[in-house]
Amino acid sequence: MDELTAEHRDDLAKKLAARKQVMRDEISAGLAGLHGETIEDILAGTTDAGDISSANQLSEVSNAEVARDTAELRDIVAAQARISAGTYGICIDCDVPVPYARLDAYPTAKRCIPCQEIREQKLGSAPHR
Ligand SMILES: [Zn+2]
């Protein structure tokens, strides 16, 4: 019904690939000034599961801009993995299709808008527990 068409999915896959290249270039440029970490080091622990493990690894990256780009690159890699697995465009929390308009704006979106809002409320109201 609201599931992605093949055309939409291909379109989003292209966007992700283009964005990934930009992030790789920016991270490579940023890492040139840091302590010997490479993109491969940073991506080594990337899994679809983990906002938390990502955050831990990111703490080793001192440059804030590189950290931001790295977080986006991880999201892109995870989104591409979901495309491969056939689960792209499905909310990871409630299993409903994420609307194309949202994916078009945020191709790495893992959740539908209601689930994302719930998550942000939880994160905002429960610090350090
Ligand atoms: Zn949802």
PDB file of all heavy atoms in Angstrom, residues 52-89:
ATOM      1  N   ILE A  52      24.124   2.812  20.395  1.00  0.00           N
ATOM      2  CA  ILE A  52      24.955   2.902  21.594  1.00  0.00           C
ATOM      3  C   ILE A  52      26.402   2.553  21.284  1.00  0.00           C
ATOM      4  O   ILE A  52      27.325   3.274  21.643  1.00  0.00           O
ATOM      5  CB  ILE A  52      24.396   1.980  22.695  1.00  0.00           C
ATOM      6  CG1 ILE A  52      23.040   2.510  23.143  1.00  0.00           C
ATOM      7  CG2 ILE A  52      25.354   1.900  23.871  1.00  0.00           C
ATOM      8  CD1 ILE A  52      22.254   1.552  24.020  1.00  0.00           C
ATOM      9  N   SER A  53      26.620   1.434  20.565  1.00  0.00           N
ATOM     10  CA  SER A  53      27.997   1.079  20.255  1.00  0.00           C
ATOM     11  C   SER A  53      28.627   2.122  19.350  1.00  0.00           C
ATOM     12  O   SER A  53      29.810   2.430  19.462  1.00  0.00           O
ATOM     13  CB  SER A  53      28.068  -0.305  19.614  1.00  0.00           C
ATOM     14  OG  SER A  53      27.364  -0.322  18.398  1.00  0.00           O
ATOM     15  N   SER A  54      27.824   2.696  18.461  1.00  0.00           N
ATOM     16  CA  SER A  54      28.357   3.761  17.615  1.00  0.00           C
ATOM     17  C   SER A  54      28.848   4.916  18.469  1.00  0.00           C
ATOM     18  O   SER A  54      29.931   5.446  18.259  1.00  0.00           O
ATOM     19  CB  SER A  54      27.285   4.285  16.662  1.00  0.00           C
ATOM     20  OG  SER A  54      26.836   3.269  15.823  1.00  0.00           O
ATOM     21  N   ALA A  55      28.037   5.278  19.442  1.00  0.00           N
ATOM     22  CA  ALA A  55      28.387   6.420  20.282  1.00  0.00           C
ATOM     23  C   ALA A  55      29.683   6.150  21.042  1.00  0.00           C
ATOM     24  O   ALA A  55      30.535   7.025  21.174  1.00  0.00           O
ATOM     25  CB  ALA A  55      27.258   6.716  21.257  1.00  0.00           C
ATOM     26  N   ASN A  56      29.857   4.923  21.503  1.00  0.00           N
ATOM     27  CA  ASN A  56      31.088   4.594  22.210  1.00  0.00           C
ATOM     28  C   ASN A  56      32.307   4.757  21.328  1.00  0.00           C
ATOM     29  O   ASN A  56      33.324   5.322  21.733  1.00  0.00           O
ATOM     30  CB  ASN A  56      31.044   3.155  22.724  1.00  0.00           C
ATOM     31  CG  ASN A  56      30.057   3.013  23.873  1.00  0.00           C
ATOM     32  OD1 ASN A  56      29.710   4.008  24.510  1.00  0.00           O
ATOM     33  ND2 ASN A  56      29.605   1.800  24.114  1.00  0.00           N
ATOM     34  N   GLN A  57      32.188   4.226  20.109  1.00  0.00           N
ATOM     35  CA  GLN A  57      33.332   4.328  19.227  1.00  0.00           C
ATOM     36  C   GLN A  57      33.593   5.767  18.816  1.00  0.00           C
ATOM     37  O   GLN A  57      34.734   6.161  18.635  1.00  0.00           O
ATOM     38  CB  GLN A  57      33.103   3.453  18.002  1.00  0.00           C
ATOM     39  CG  GLN A  57      33.311   1.986  18.338  1.00  0.00           C
ATOM     40  CD  GLN A  57      32.586   1.078  17.372  1.00  0.00           C
ATOM     41  OE1 GLN A  57      32.044   1.542  16.392  1.00  0.00           O
ATOM     42  NE2 GLN A  57      32.582  -0.191  17.653  1.00  0.00           N
ATOM     43  N   LEU A  58      32.536   6.520  18.704  1.00  0.00           N
ATOM     44  CA  LEU A  58      32.707   7.903  18.295  1.00  0.00           C
ATOM     45  C   LEU A  58      33.473   8.717  19.318  1.00  0.00           C
ATOM     46  O   LEU A  58      34.099   9.696  18.977  1.00  0.00           O
ATOM     47  CB  LEU A  58      31.345   8.556  18.043  1.00  0.00           C
ATOM     48  CG  LEU A  58      30.711   8.201  16.705  1.00  0.00           C
ATOM     49  CD1 LEU A  58      29.334   8.814  16.625  1.00  0.00           C
ATOM     50  CD2 LEU A  58      31.569   8.687  15.558  1.00  0.00           C
ATOM     51  N   SER A  59      33.408   8.296  20.585  1.00  0.00           N
ATOM     52  CA  SER A  59      34.098   9.076  21.599  1.00  0.00           C
ATOM     53  C   SER A  59      35.605   9.096  21.365  1.00  0.00           C
ATOM     54  O   SER A  59      36.310   9.948  21.863  1.00  0.00           O
ATOM     55  CB  SER A  59      33.803   8.516  22.990  1.00  0.00           C
ATOM     56  OG  SER A  59      34.356   7.216  23.097  1.00  0.00           O
ATOM     57  N   GLU A  60      36.080   8.144  20.562  1.00  0.00           N
ATOM     58  CA  GLU A  60      37.508   8.133  20.260  1.00  0.00           C
ATOM     59  C   GLU A  60      37.868   9.113  19.157  1.00  0.00           C
ATOM     60  O   GLU A  60      39.032   9.374  18.897  1.00  0.00           O
ATOM     61  CB  GLU A  60      37.939   6.721  19.838  1.00  0.00           C
ATOM     62  CG  GLU A  60      37.732   5.708  20.955  1.00  0.00           C
ATOM     63  CD  GLU A  60      37.903   4.289  20.457  1.00  0.00           C
ATOM     64  OE1 GLU A  60      38.466   4.114  19.363  1.00  0.00           O
ATOM     65  OE2 GLU A  60      37.481   3.383  21.171  1.00  0.00           O
ATOM     66  N   VAL A  61      36.859   9.613  18.506  1.00  0.00           N
ATOM     67  CA  VAL A  61      37.126  10.569  17.434  1.00  0.00           C
ATOM     68  C   VAL A  61      37.029  11.964  18.010  1.00  0.00           C
ATOM     69  O   VAL A  61      35.978  12.387  18.446  1.00  0.00           O
ATOM     70  CB  VAL A  61      36.134  10.391  16.283  1.00  0.00           C
ATOM     71  CG1 VAL A  61      36.418  11.385  15.177  1.00  0.00           C
ATOM     72  CG2 VAL A  61      36.204   8.972  15.761  1.00  0.00           C
ATOM     73  N   SER A  62      38.141  12.667  18.025  1.00  0.00           N
ATOM     74  CA  SER A  62      38.152  13.927  18.754  1.00  0.00           C
ATOM     75  C   SER A  62      37.557  15.076  17.958  1.00  0.00           C
ATOM     76  O   SER A  62      37.059  16.028  18.515  1.00  0.00           O
ATOM     77  CB  SER A  62      39.578  14.271  19.167  1.00  0.00           C
ATOM     78  OG  SER A  62      40.426  14.262  18.034  1.00  0.00           O
ATOM     79  N   ASN A  63      37.606  14.967  16.663  1.00  0.00           N
ATOM     80  CA  ASN A  63      37.138  16.083  15.866  1.00  0.00           C
ATOM     81  C   ASN A  63      35.622  16.027  15.690  1.00  0.00           C
ATOM     82  O   ASN A  63      35.083  15.070  15.146  1.00  0.00           O
ATOM     83  CB  ASN A  63      37.841  16.049  14.507  1.00  0.00           C
ATOM     84  CG  ASN A  63      37.458  17.221  13.644  1.00  0.00           C
ATOM     85  OD1 ASN A  63      36.303  17.364  13.259  1.00  0.00           O
ATOM     86  ND2 ASN A  63      38.420  18.056  13.346  1.00  0.00           N
ATOM     87  N   ALA A  64      34.936  17.058  16.147  1.00  0.00           N
ATOM     88  CA  ALA A  64      33.471  17.026  16.164  1.00  0.00           C
ATOM     89  C   ALA A  64      32.889  16.894  14.765  1.00  0.00           C
ATOM     90  O   ALA A  64      31.898  16.203  14.566  1.00  0.00           O
ATOM     91  CB  ALA A  64      32.923  18.285  16.834  1.00  0.00           C
ATOM     92  N   GLU A  65      33.489  17.535  13.833  1.00  0.00           N
ATOM     93  CA  GLU A  65      32.948  17.484  12.484  1.00  0.00           C
ATOM     94  C   GLU A  65      33.110  16.092  11.895  1.00  0.00           C
ATOM     95  O   GLU A  65      32.201  15.555  11.252  1.00  0.00           O
ATOM     96  CB  GLU A  65      33.642  18.517  11.599  1.00  0.00           C
ATOM     97  CG  GLU A  65      32.956  18.712  10.273  1.00  0.00           C
ATOM     98  CD  GLU A  65      33.491  19.917   9.532  1.00  0.00           C
ATOM     99  OE1 GLU A  65      34.018  20.831  10.202  1.00  0.00           O
ATOM    100  OE2 GLU A  65      33.410  19.926   8.310  1.00  0.00           O
ATOM    101  N   VAL A  66      34.275  15.500  12.142  1.00  0.00           N
ATOM    102  CA  VAL A  66      34.505  14.135  11.668  1.00  0.00           C
ATOM    103  C   VAL A  66      33.511  13.199  12.347  1.00  0.00           C
ATOM    104  O   VAL A  66      32.956  12.303  11.711  1.00  0.00           O
ATOM    105  CB  VAL A  66      35.954  13.683  11.956  1.00  0.00           C
ATOM    106  CG1 VAL A  66      36.109  12.189  11.685  1.00  0.00           C
ATOM    107  CG2 VAL A  66      36.922  14.474  11.084  1.00  0.00           C
ATOM    108  N   ALA A  67      33.264  13.440  13.620  1.00  0.00           N
ATOM    109  CA  ALA A  67      32.319  12.594  14.354  1.00  0.00           C
ATOM    110  C   ALA A  67      30.930  12.693  13.745  1.00  0.00           C
ATOM    111  O   ALA A  67      30.237  11.680  13.596  1.00  0.00           O
ATOM    112  CB  ALA A  67      32.287  13.005  15.825  1.00  0.00           C
ATOM    113  N   ARG A  68      30.529  13.892  13.398  1.00  0.00           N
ATOM    114  CA  ARG A  68      29.215  14.083  12.790  1.00  0.00           C
ATOM    115  C   ARG A  68      29.133  13.372  11.441  1.00  0.00           C
ATOM    116  O   ARG A  68      28.176  12.668  11.154  1.00  0.00           O
ATOM    117  CB  ARG A  68      28.947  15.581  12.612  1.00  0.00           C
ATOM    118  CG  ARG A  68      27.627  16.017  13.181  1.00  0.00           C
ATOM    119  CD  ARG A  68      27.319  17.496  13.054  1.00  0.00           C
ATOM    120  NE  ARG A  68      28.239  18.300  12.304  1.00  0.00           N
ATOM    121  CZ  ARG A  68      29.075  19.187  12.837  1.00  0.00           C
ATOM    122  NH1 ARG A  68      29.124  19.354  14.131  1.00  0.00           N
ATOM    123  NH2 ARG A  68      29.872  19.913  12.069  1.00  0.00           N
ATOM    124  N   ASP A  69      30.164  13.603  10.623  1.00  0.00           N
ATOM    125  CA  ASP A  69      30.187  12.950   9.311  1.00  0.00           C
ATOM    126  C   ASP A  69      30.213  11.434   9.459  1.00  0.00           C
ATOM    127  O   ASP A  69      29.595  10.712   8.676  1.00  0.00           O
ATOM    128  CB  ASP A  69      31.416  13.395   8.509  1.00  0.00           C
ATOM    129  CG  ASP A  69      31.302  14.842   8.052  1.00  0.00           C
ATOM    130  OD1 ASP A  69      30.188  15.387   8.109  1.00  0.00           O
ATOM    131  OD2 ASP A  69      32.323  15.404   7.635  1.00  0.00           O
ATOM    132  N   THR A  70      30.948  10.966  10.459  1.00  0.00           N
ATOM    133  CA  THR A  70      31.052   9.527  10.681  1.00  0.00           C
ATOM    134  C   THR A  70      29.711   8.937  11.078  1.00  0.00           C
ATOM    135  O   THR A  70      29.320   7.861  10.599  1.00  0.00           O
ATOM    136  CB  THR A  70      32.085   9.232  11.783  1.00  0.00           C
ATOM    137  OG1 THR A  70      33.340   9.766  11.382  1.00  0.00           O
ATOM    138  CG2 THR A  70      32.224   7.730  11.991  1.00  0.00           C
ATOM    139  N   ALA A  71      28.992   9.662  11.925  1.00  0.00           N
ATOM    140  CA  ALA A  71      27.664   9.193  12.340  1.00  0.00           C
ATOM    141  C   ALA A  71      26.754   9.082  11.123  1.00  0.00           C
ATOM    142  O   ALA A  71      26.007   8.107  10.972  1.00  0.00           O
ATOM    143  CB  ALA A  71      27.068  10.147  13.375  1.00  0.00           C
ATOM    144  N   GLU A  72      26.837  10.065  10.239  1.00  0.00           N
ATOM    145  CA  GLU A  72      25.993  10.005   9.045  1.00  0.00           C
ATOM    146  C   GLU A  72      26.425   8.863   8.132  1.00  0.00           C
ATOM    147  O   GLU A  72      25.587   8.147   7.582  1.00  0.00           O
ATOM    148  CB  GLU A  72      26.041  11.334   8.290  1.00  0.00           C
ATOM    149  CG  GLU A  72      25.129  11.296   7.082  1.00  0.00           C
ATOM    150  CD  GLU A  72      24.856  12.659   6.460  1.00  0.00           C
ATOM    151  OE1 GLU A  72      25.210  13.680   7.051  1.00  0.00           O
ATOM    152  OE2 GLU A  72      24.280  12.665   5.360  1.00  0.00           O
ATOM    153  N   LEU A  73      27.742   8.681   8.007  1.00  0.00           N
ATOM    154  CA  LEU A  73      28.238   7.594   7.162  1.00  0.00           C
ATOM    155  C   LEU A  73      27.767   6.238   7.692  1.00  0.00           C
ATOM    156  O   LEU A  73      27.359   5.362   6.923  1.00  0.00           O
ATOM    157  CB  LEU A  73      29.770   7.641   7.093  1.00  0.00           C
ATOM    158  CG  LEU A  73      30.431   6.578   6.220  1.00  0.00           C
ATOM    159  CD1 LEU A  73      29.949   6.655   4.777  1.00  0.00           C
ATOM    160  CD2 LEU A  73      31.948   6.730   6.252  1.00  0.00           C
ATOM    161  N   ARG A  74      27.807   6.081   9.012  1.00  0.00           N
ATOM    162  CA  ARG A  74      27.303   4.833   9.617  1.00  0.00           C
ATOM    163  C   ARG A  74      25.838   4.621   9.283  1.00  0.00           C
ATOM    164  O   ARG A  74      25.415   3.503   8.971  1.00  0.00           O
ATOM    165  CB  ARG A  74      27.423   4.888  11.142  1.00  0.00           C
ATOM    166  CG  ARG A  74      28.788   4.711  11.665  1.00  0.00           C
ATOM    167  CD  ARG A  74      28.729   4.953  13.169  1.00  0.00           C
ATOM    168  NE  ARG A  74      30.060   4.950  13.728  1.00  0.00           N
ATOM    169  CZ  ARG A  74      30.752   3.843  13.940  1.00  0.00           C
ATOM    170  NH1 ARG A  74      30.229   2.680  13.679  1.00  0.00           N
ATOM    171  NH2 ARG A  74      31.973   3.910  14.445  1.00  0.00           N
ATOM    172  N   ASP A  75      25.050   5.704   9.382  1.00  0.00           N
ATOM    173  CA  ASP A  75      23.623   5.590   9.060  1.00  0.00           C
ATOM    174  C   ASP A  75      23.429   5.188   7.607  1.00  0.00           C
ATOM    175  O   ASP A  75      22.524   4.416   7.285  1.00  0.00           O
ATOM    176  CB  ASP A  75      22.916   6.926   9.322  1.00  0.00           C
ATOM    177  CG  ASP A  75      22.637   7.156  10.798  1.00  0.00           C
ATOM    178  OD1 ASP A  75      22.741   6.194  11.582  1.00  0.00           O
ATOM    179  OD2 ASP A  75      22.317   8.297  11.165  1.00  0.00           O
ATOM    180  N   ILE A  76      24.273   5.741   6.740  1.00  0.00           N
ATOM    181  CA  ILE A  76      24.177   5.408   5.314  1.00  0.00           C
ATOM    182  C   ILE A  76      24.522   3.937   5.094  1.00  0.00           C
ATOM    183  O   ILE A  76      23.807   3.220   4.382  1.00  0.00           O
ATOM    184  CB  ILE A  76      25.096   6.321   4.479  1.00  0.00           C
ATOM    185  CG1 ILE A  76      24.582   7.767   4.520  1.00  0.00           C
ATOM    186  CG2 ILE A  76      25.168   5.821   3.031  1.00  0.00           C
ATOM    187  CD1 ILE A  76      25.573   8.792   3.983  1.00  0.00           C
ATOM    188  N   VAL A  77      25.597   3.487   5.718  1.00  0.00           N
ATOM    189  CA  VAL A  77      25.999   2.085   5.581  1.00  0.00           C
ATOM    190  C   VAL A  77      24.886   1.166   6.081  1.00  0.00           C
ATOM    191  O   VAL A  77      24.541   0.165   5.444  1.00  0.00           O
ATOM    192  CB  VAL A  77      27.313   1.816   6.358  1.00  0.00           C
ATOM    193  CG1 VAL A  77      27.595   0.325   6.450  1.00  0.00           C
ATOM    194  CG2 VAL A  77      28.472   2.543   5.676  1.00  0.00           C
ATOM    195  N   ALA A  78      24.298   1.548   7.214  1.00  0.00           N
ATOM    196  CA  ALA A  78      23.213   0.734   7.778  1.00  0.00           C
ATOM    197  C   ALA A  78      22.003   0.734   6.847  1.00  0.00           C
ATOM    198  O   ALA A  78      21.349  -0.298   6.658  1.00  0.00           O
ATOM    199  CB  ALA A  78      22.833   1.256   9.164  1.00  0.00           C
ATOM    200  N   ALA A  79      21.700   1.896   6.243  1.00  0.00           N
ATOM    201  CA  ALA A  79      20.561   1.974   5.319  1.00  0.00           C
ATOM    202  C   ALA A  79      20.823   1.098   4.098  1.00  0.00           C
ATOM    203  O   ALA A  79      19.916   0.408   3.610  1.00  0.00           O
ATOM    204  CB  ALA A  79      20.327   3.432   4.903  1.00  0.00           C
ATOM    205  N   GLN A  80      22.046   1.118   3.608  1.00  0.00           N
ATOM    206  CA  GLN A  80      22.379   0.282   2.448  1.00  0.00           C
ATOM    207  C   GLN A  80      22.273  -1.201   2.801  1.00  0.00           C
ATOM    208  O   GLN A  80      21.853  -2.008   1.970  1.00  0.00           O
ATOM    209  CB  GLN A  80      23.783   0.621   1.943  1.00  0.00           C
ATOM    210  CG  GLN A  80      23.828   2.001   1.285  1.00  0.00           C
ATOM    211  CD  GLN A  80      25.204   2.377   0.786  1.00  0.00           C
ATOM    212  OE1 GLN A  80      26.208   2.053   1.423  1.00  0.00           O
ATOM    213  NE2 GLN A  80      25.264   3.054  -0.344  1.00  0.00           N
ATOM    214  N   ALA A  81      22.624  -1.530   4.028  1.00  0.00           N
ATOM    215  CA  ALA A  81      22.487  -2.921   4.474  1.00  0.00           C
ATOM    216  C   ALA A  81      21.014  -3.316   4.520  1.00  0.00           C
ATOM    217  O   ALA A  81      20.644  -4.438   4.162  1.00  0.00           O
ATOM    218  CB  ALA A  81      23.128  -3.100   5.854  1.00  0.00           C
ATOM    219  N   ARG A  82      20.162  -2.360   4.933  1.00  0.00           N
ATOM    220  CA  ARG A  82      18.726  -2.657   4.976  1.00  0.00           C
ATOM    221  C   ARG A  82      18.162  -2.816   3.562  1.00  0.00           C
ATOM    222  O   ARG A  82      17.268  -3.629   3.341  1.00  0.00           O
ATOM    223  CB  ARG A  82      17.967  -1.562   5.746  1.00  0.00           C
ATOM    224  CG  ARG A  82      18.283  -1.563   7.231  1.00  0.00           C
ATOM    225  CD  ARG A  82      17.254  -0.773   8.044  1.00  0.00           C
ATOM    226  NE  ARG A  82      17.166   0.628   7.672  1.00  0.00           N
ATOM    227  CZ  ARG A  82      17.976   1.585   8.094  1.00  0.00           C
ATOM    228  NH1 ARG A  82      18.959   1.295   8.938  1.00  0.00           N
ATOM    229  NH2 ARG A  82      17.820   2.830   7.696  1.00  0.00           N
ATOM    230  N   ILE A  83      18.688  -2.025   2.618  1.00  0.00           N
ATOM    231  CA  ILE A  83      18.267  -2.199   1.227  1.00  0.00           C
ATOM    232  C   ILE A  83      18.633  -3.611   0.764  1.00  0.00           C
ATOM    233  O   ILE A  83      17.810  -4.320   0.176  1.00  0.00           O
ATOM    234  CB  ILE A  83      18.915  -1.134   0.310  1.00  0.00           C
ATOM    235  CG1 ILE A  83      18.311   0.241   0.596  1.00  0.00           C
ATOM    236  CG2 ILE A  83      18.700  -1.507  -1.166  1.00  0.00           C
ATOM    237  CD1 ILE A  83      18.981   1.390  -0.142  1.00  0.00           C
ATOM    238  N   SER A  84      19.859  -4.035   1.047  1.00  0.00           N
ATOM    239  CA  SER A  84      20.298  -5.378   0.656  1.00  0.00           C
ATOM    240  C   SER A  84      19.428  -6.456   1.287  1.00  0.00           C
ATOM    241  O   SER A  84      19.122  -7.474   0.676  1.00  0.00           O
ATOM    242  CB  SER A  84      21.761  -5.608   1.074  1.00  0.00           C
ATOM    243  OG  SER A  84      22.592  -4.705   0.409  1.00  0.00           O
ATOM    244  N   ALA A  85      19.062  -6.205   2.548  1.00  0.00           N
ATOM    245  CA  ALA A  85      18.300  -7.202   3.291  1.00  0.00           C
ATOM    246  C   ALA A  85      16.811  -7.157   2.965  1.00  0.00           C
ATOM    247  O   ALA A  85      16.051  -8.024   3.396  1.00  0.00           O
ATOM    248  CB  ALA A  85      18.504  -7.000   4.791  1.00  0.00           C
ATOM    249  N   GLY A  86      16.391  -6.133   2.228  1.00  0.00           N
ATOM    250  CA  GLY A  86      14.979  -6.016   1.885  1.00  0.00           C
ATOM    251  C   GLY A  86      14.130  -5.426   2.986  1.00  0.00           C
ATOM    252  O   GLY A  86      12.905  -5.516   2.945  1.00  0.00           O
ATOM    253  N   THR A  87      14.762  -4.819   3.975  1.00  0.00           N
ATOM    254  CA  THR A  87      13.993  -4.239   5.080  1.00  0.00           C
ATOM    255  C   THR A  87      14.011  -2.715   5.047  1.00  0.00           C
ATOM    256  O   THR A  87      13.473  -2.068   5.943  1.00  0.00           O
ATOM    257  CB  THR A  87      14.554  -4.698   6.443  1.00  0.00           C
ATOM    258  OG1 THR A  87      15.931  -4.325   6.537  1.00  0.00           O
ATOM    259  CG2 THR A  87      14.429  -6.201   6.591  1.00  0.00           C
ATOM    260  N   TYR A  88      14.622  -2.142   4.025  1.00  0.00           N
ATOM    261  CA  TYR A  88      14.685  -0.682   3.928  1.00  0.00           C
ATOM    262  C   TYR A  88      13.288  -0.095   3.772  1.00  0.00           C
ATOM    263  O   TYR A  88      12.457  -0.642   3.038  1.00  0.00           O
ATOM    264  CB  TYR A  88      15.555  -0.280   2.743  1.00  0.00           C
ATOM    265  CG  TYR A  88      15.687   1.211   2.572  1.00  0.00           C
ATOM    266  CD1 TYR A  88      16.474   1.948   3.444  1.00  0.00           C
ATOM    267  CD2 TYR A  88      15.017   1.870   1.561  1.00  0.00           C
ATOM    268  CE1 TYR A  88      16.596   3.316   3.299  1.00  0.00           C
ATOM    269  CE2 TYR A  88      15.127   3.246   1.403  1.00  0.00           C
ATOM    270  CZ  TYR A  88      15.922   3.968   2.280  1.00  0.00           C
ATOM    271  OH  TYR A  88      16.034   5.322   2.124  1.00  0.00           O
ATOM    272  N   GLY A  89      13.051   1.041   4.465  1.00  0.00           N
ATOM    273  CA  GLY A  89      11.761   1.703   4.336  1.00  0.00           C
ATOM    274  C   GLY A  89      10.696   1.130   5.242  1.00  0.00           C
ATOM    275  O   GLY A  89       9.536   1.511   5.162  1.00  0.00           O
TER     276      GLY A  89
END
